[in-house]
Amino acid sequence: MFKTTTDADLAGNPIDEFIGNSIKYAAVTAAAKLGVFTALREGPKTLEELAGAIGASVDGTRAVADVAAVLGWLELSDGRYATGPLAERWLDTDSVLDFTPALLWAYELTNVLWELPQAVRDGKPAQSLWERWADKPEAGKDFSAYMKVKSRLTVDSITEAVPVPEGAQRLLDLGGSHGLHTMAFCRRYPELTATILDLPEALANTGAALEAEGLADRVSLRRGSFLTEDLGEGYDVVLLFEIVHNHTDEENRDLIARAAKALRPGGKIVVLEDVRGEKLDEHNAAFSLAMFACSGDRTYSLPEITGWMEDADLATVEHIALPSSVSLVVGTK
């Protein structure tokens, strides 16, 4: 974005690299938050028309839209703004892979990361995500929508890889939010019924999704915290998908132990997680930092996750690699 010098020896300097990238990030996420891309789905608009459509000032709209146009998210021709090739590719509302929720969550994540220096000093953020959502439930809904589109990238490979016990009838999805994984398992295993336990704001749109898929009679929703709620018993499968990185070692150890008690003999706990390796990995390190900023927690290694399962007296533990950054750790009772 910034090119403060043509000197090749100074390429990638902090001004161009970090300040420039910050402006890119701010412009595109602000455009999504303001509804710029939504407004332009109706067709091209002049600056004044676009500003009116999103209820914003003309000068502010121009500043954001011009950067988005330079980056290819919008196009500016003959004084009219229109969706650009990147928006056409990634923000198509008719596509199941509409990544608009990712931009909306990125906007909220900016606010979280702004407080990172103080969180590092204190050892944790002043508020966890869940505490933030109590004051801003719309942010919780944005996060749930983001997780849904993110999960669409891997849901098929995950469903195929999970070793569901033969004849399984009951599944418990802890922190299942959007219900995408539960619905996929129910479609794959017609005899399966399921329960999703998550916070109320995370389940805001799940009931409607279940109705749309014709699965409302097979999937029940429980609103509450899986850290404190009674998990029940007699389950064949308990899913903990992308949640342990948001909790402390002590909380995860307790959660795995309680999940193990909720299993019938031969049942399985399935953890889906971005597992920390022995060597630093670019993606995992960045993700772990984001988790610290959001909740004061981190990613965990395979020995740590395996240890929780062994301490819960699970008979066997298996690690299953997937064609993505996440993998499965499966414990059998």
Side-chain angles (χ1 to χ4, degrees):
M1 174 58 67
F2 276 1
K3 295 182 180 178
T4 55
T5 176
T6 58
D7 188 339
D9 290 337
L10 295 176
N13 69 77
I15 295 175
D16 293 356
E17 186 74 11
F18 294 105
I19 297 179
N21 283 338
S22 296
I23 292 171
K24 292 180 184 179
Y25 185 102
V28 178
T29 57
K33 188 69 174 179
L34 290 163
V36 168
F37 301 113
T38 301
L40 291 176
R41 287 181 189 126
E42 302 170 356
K45 286 180 168 54
T46 65
L47 175 61
E48 291 74 15
E49 290 170 341
L50 180 57
I54 65 173
S57 68
V58 170
D59 286 345
T61 302
R62 178 191 290 111
V64 168
D66 282 354
V67 174
V70 167
L71 296 174
W73 291 91
L74 300 182
E75 289 183 339
L76 176 59
S77 178
D78 297 327
R80 299 173 73 83
Y81 291 93
T83 53
L86 290 176
E88 293 286 351
R89 172 66 179 87
W90 299 113
L91 308 180
D92 180 2
T93 53
D94 293 329
S95 170
V96 295
L97 289 179
D98 172 17
F99 281 83
T100 302
L103 292 182
L104 296 177
W105 169 240
Y107 175 86
E108 178 61 23
L109 185 60
T110 304
N111 297 323
V112 173
L113 293 174
W114 182 256
E115 301 168 6
L116 180 60
Q118 190 60 48
V120 171
R121 294 187 187 101
D122 296 340
K124 63 179 181 179
Q127 284 185 308
S128 69
L129 286 183
W130 302 274
E131 291 167 334
R132 284 175 175 270
W133 293 345
D135 299 326
K136 298 176 62 179
E138 70 279 4
K141 294 177 182 178
D142 287 343
F143 179 76
S144 181
Y146 157 66
M147 287 301 297
K148 184 174 183 178
V149 70
K150 178 175 179 287
S151 296
R152 288 191 187 279
L153 301 175
T154 56
V155 63
D156 291 338
S157 61
I158 291 168
T159 308
E160 292 172 5
V162 171
V164 173
E166 185 176 354
Q169 296 183 337
R170 298 183 66 208
L171 178 146
L172 175 62
D173 189 350
L174 300 179
S177 182
H178 46 72
L180 191 68
H181 294 107
T182 288
M183 289 187 282
F185 279 107
C186 285
R187 286 192 294 267
R188 187 177 180 88
Y189 300 97
E191 69 280 9
L192 204 61
T193 62
T195 299
I196 303 174
L197 171 57
D198 209 339
L199 298 173
E201 53 269 28
L203 296 173
N205 301 316
T206 312
L210 291 170
E211 290 282 356
E213 291 291 327
L215 292 171
D217 60 333
R218 293 174 56 195
V219 181
S220 61
L221 303 180
R222 284 184 59 193
R223 292 166 174 81
S225 171
F226 50 71
L227 294 178
T228 56
E229 294 279 338
D230 177 26
L231 302 184
E233 59 183 13
Y235 289 99
D236 299 285
V237 183
V238 178
L239 305 180
L240 288 80
F241 280 11
E242 298 192 86
I243 62 172
V244 301
H245 55 247
N246 271 324
H247 301 286
T248 65
D249 179 275
E250 182 180 1
E251 288 170 335
N252 287 322
R253 188 177 302 277
D254 177 70
L255 180 58
I256 293 291
R258 292 191 298 115
K261 291 179 180 178
L263 287 175
R264 67 161 179 80
K268 297 179 184 290
I269 291 175
V270 186
V271 172
L272 176 71
E273 191 60 33
D274 199 316
V275 178
R276 185 181 184 91
E278 293 183 5
K279 295 182 179 180
L280 280 178
D281 170 81
E282 181 180 20
H283 174 83
N284 189 277
F287 181 62
S288 193
L289 175 62
M291 292 307 98
F292 179 82
C294 288
S295 59
D297 299 302
R298 61 180 176 86
T299 57
Y300 291 92
S301 66
L302 182 58
E304 288 174 305
I305 299 172
T306 299
W308 302 333
M309 293 188 173
E310 290 175 344
D311 288 347
D313 293 327
L314 294 177
T316 62
V317 181
E318 176 186 9
H319 180 230
I320 302 174
L322 295 172
S324 65
S325 63
V326 293
S327 58
L328 298 170
V329 186
V330 182
T332 304
K333 187 170 182 177

